[in-house]
Amino acid sequence: MAEDIKLMKGNEAIAHAAIRYGCDGYFGYPITPQSEIMETLMEVAPWETTGMVVLQAESEVAAINMVYGGAGCGKAVMTSSSSPGVSLKQEGISYLAGAELPALIVNVMRGGPGLGTIQPSQADYFQTVKGGGHGDYKLIALAPSSVQEMADFVKLGFDLAFKYNNPAIILADGIVGQMMEKVVLPEQQPRRTEEEVRKQCPWASLGKTSERKRNVITSLELDSAAMERNNIRFQAKYREIEENEVRYEEINCDGADYLLIAFGSSARICQKTIEIAAQEGVKLGLLRPITLWPFPTKEIKHRGNFVKGILVMELNAGQMVEDVRLAIEGAVPVEHYGRLGGIVPDPSEVWDAMKQKLNINICNKQIHNVPELETISEESMQEVISNLNKMTP
Amino acid sequence: MKQEIIIAGFGGQGVLSMGKILAYSGLMEGKEVSWMPSYGPEQRGGTANVTVILSDERISSPVLNDYDVVIVLNQPSMDKFESKVKPGGVLIYDGYGIHNPSKRTDIDIFRVDATDAATEMKNSKAFNMIVLGGLLKVRPMVEHENVIAGLKKSLPERHHKLIPMNEMAIQKGMEIIQKI
């Protein structure tokens, strides 16, 4: 066994990966199920080694504004929280996007709304990819489904944030946060020197030099014409991200009769659903969006051409399913299955729901009740046609 | 080879740490492992459980419908998980907490009186290791040396002096587990 394979929780992996990335600062406020992130940072005490700042702020709102301040200086800074805490941060997140600042936010989701429960949920999909805060902005949203990805997406998130000067978010949940799996941590990278920060982030407010005008970090622009120009610039950047940064994983998709679409821990559950369905002779594929924004719209549309139906499984009442339906444009039936408030479905429950919602007939012997031709009405004809359409060959 | 295991009992019985040691043992053996706890208020006084998967291949779901091995350490856990043992699977329980044992005939049922044995050893903390010993006797899923290596890896160094006691407890569990 290689010495560098470790067994740890997803939350711990994020903390270690942040230190190893050369993160300059973490600002947070504890909340289950992600408190191990700050606990691990406090235990490892990176301020003694890399010089990384780890600070428990007085609130989530303070923490996100500390991130704003650090990011404005070109530093690689992050915060983490769980659903209710991330709601509190939304104003700051909108400001980060409006000021075009790179930063990493981690949301280890729990069941809502309100304070809700502490058990796993994926009900913050809309908040993450459709806004959350005010204004026309986008977050680069990464959805890890393993402890290894919890570690890997810290670097990916920071790299994308700095590449596009835009906040990135890791959207995890209580399962990937709390479970332990094997992980290979990245190599320790040094923190950037002040000189390197100045070079990488010429916009950073690190003190005016004689060679340039002063840098101002703000999202405020009272001149509407200028603000529209800013927005147009943001939108152009978002289109570029949509063009270049879509990430997804396909499992078992080639030749699949039906498709599951799920992200994060739901995608892990669905992998087992594939195994269960295979025992009953049905071939399922799984398409797992890794970036929730930019969303793999084209890839899902393409896959829709080859399957009879799609089930979107999420730990919510139906959120990502809307984006899947927009991608599929009615070409095949798209159904949703989810459990709410912190309940996690088991893999066979997902398969049962899929069979029912997509009319997957296992024995292929189900005989539909066909009325006599003479007595057939327009209405029952429609019903027969739709039943025939639903039948599997 | 894949072993899907759930360990369930009261918070404070060492359910999660037992699962952790099992997971670390699997890690030392070079297996794929996952350890999925129930977390939060359940850890103190309520019911706690942990799902551990040891596999030669990549693990799909950390959340399962049914298990190869179910270890229950109190009656509520027995009631909840008895039906989740796969046919041909193993159910292990501590005789002390269970007043209504399983009547299933399609599985192997074992009883390990770990509470009594721990009292006899005058060490209530040995309880979970006695149960683990019982498990390893009836389902030797990891080598003994890897369990010890896993113990070393999961315990902080200042507790390494407790390893011989833990080894004794594992031995004890192997001796006292009995088929029902």
Side-chain angles (χ1 to χ4, degrees), chain A residues 136-310:
Chain A
D136 274 323
Y137 76 91
K138 291 285 182 191
L139 294 179
I140 299 166
L142 305 169
S145 76
S146 65
V147 173
Q148 185 64 53
E149 284 188 342
M150 289 287 259
D152 294 346
F153 288 181
V154 170
K155 177 174 163 52
L156 179 62
F158 270 124
D159 286 350
L160 291 172
F162 275 95
K163 183 173 175 188
Y164 294 102
N165 288 337
N166 202 70
I169 185 166
I170 295 177
L171 191 67
D173 62 66
I175 296 178
V176 272
Q178 290 293 329
M179 74 187 285
M180 288 204 303
E181 282 187 314
K182 285 209 264 193
V183 57
V184 179
L185 292 172
E187 294 287 312
Q188 178 69 53
Q189 274 178 228
R191 284 174 54 234
R192 291 161 307 151
T193 61
E194 178 143 338
E195 213 162 89
E196 286 167 333
V197 173
R198 280 184 193 276
K199 206 170 156 207
Q200 187 186 14
C201 309
W203 44 263
S205 57
L206 287 168
K208 185 187 169 303
T209 56
S210 51
E211 297 96 66
R212 60 161 172 80
K213 284 200 278 185
R214 67 195 179 108
N215 284 335
V216 180
I217 306 291
T218 182
S219 61
L220 177 70
E221 177 51 74
L222 290 174
D223 175 1
S224 295
M227 194 61 214
E228 188 184 42
R229 281 197 300 277
N230 284 351
N231 268 284
I232 289 168
R233 192 175 72 247
F234 301 162
Q235 291 302 320
K237 176 171 82 175
Y238 299 152
R239 296 298 88 75
E240 194 189 333
I241 296 172
E242 283 169 347
E243 198 57 47
N244 298 330
E245 305 299 346
V246 170
R247 287 167 171 80
Y248 62 99
E249 184 189 16
E250 287 182 328
I251 295 173
N252 218 32
C253 282
D254 289 333
D257 296 319
Y258 295 89
L259 189 63
L260 281 157
I261 300 184
F263 69 95
S265 55
S266 289
R268 295 289 294 272
I269 294 167
C270 287
Q271 283 177 44
K272 185 95 179 177
T273 305
I274 294 175
E275 295 167 19
I276 294 169
Q279 286 164 9
E280 294 184 27
V282 180
K283 192 166 180 216
L284 301 183
L286 169 67
L287 192 148
R288 175 173 76 92
I290 292 172
T291 49
L292 301 180
W293 188 84
F295 194 68
T297 306
K298 277 184 219 152
E299 293 73 14
I300 288 173
K301 185 179 169 65
H302 173 74
R303 276 294 162 198
N305 293 328
F306 304 103
V307 295
K308 294 177 202 143
I310 295 173

Side-chain angles (χ1 to χ4, degrees), chain A residues 27-34 59-65 79-93 105-117 124 127 169:
Chain A
F27 309 93
Y29 188 82
I31 180 171
T32 307
Q34 61 82 55
S59 71
E60 287 86 349
V61 178
I64 192 72
N65 284 292
T79 184
S80 71
S81 192
S82 179
S83 308
V86 177
S87 291
L88 287 168
K89 291 181 195 291
Q90 290 303 326
E91 181 199 47
I93 293 172
I105 301 139
V106 179
N107 180 2
V108 183
M109 289 180 280
R110 60 189 241 180
L115 272 179
T117 168
D124 303 350
Q127 184 193 56
I169 185 166

Side-chain angles (χ1 to χ4, degrees), chain B residues 48-180:
Chain B
N49 67 70
V50 61
T51 304
V52 177
I53 306 173
L54 307 179
S55 174
D56 293 330
E57 282 156 37
R58 179 174 154 172
I59 293 165
S60 54
S61 174
V63 180
L64 302 167
N65 327 307
D66 46 19
Y67 307 88
D68 300 306
V69 178
V70 171
I71 300 173
V72 289
L73 304 174
N74 62 12
Q75 189 64 46
S77 303
M78 176 69 101
D79 298 341
K80 191 169 175 191
F81 294 110
E82 178 204 357
S83 63
K84 306 276 173 95
V85 188
K86 289 180 196 169
V90 168
L91 176 73
I92 298 173
Y93 68 95
D94 172 34
Y96 183 77
I98 308 289
H99 42 81
N100 199 4
S102 172
K103 293 187 178 64
R104 279 182 67 175
T105 52
D106 59 337
I107 56 174
D108 290 328
I109 303 175
F110 296 90
R111 171 172 167 164
V112 57
D113 287 332
T115 307
D116 295 344
T119 314
E120 210 174 281
M121 287 172 80
K122 296 192 174 57
N123 190 345
S124 63
K125 284 180 182 157
F127 170 79
N128 60 351
M129 288 296 101
I130 298 171
V131 178
L132 181 64
L135 165 69
L136 295 174
K137 169 78 184 210
V138 301
R139 276 284 189 278
M141 53 186 73
V142 276
E143 297 288 338
H144 184 73
E145 63 193 59
N146 287 325
V147 177
I148 304 307
L151 258 170
K152 276 192 187 139
K153 197 99 175 157
S154 63
L155 285 174
E157 208 139 304
R158 63 180 190 279
H159 289 150
H160 277 191
K161 59 177 187 292
L162 298 174
I163 288 173
M165 185 275 286
N166 280 290
E167 270 192 271
M168 266 170 59
I170 291 170
Q171 195 55 43
K172 184 77 183 170
M174 289 181 155
E175 286 161 16
I176 64 170
I177 192 159
Q178 47 182 315
K179 193 159 195 292
I180 298 295

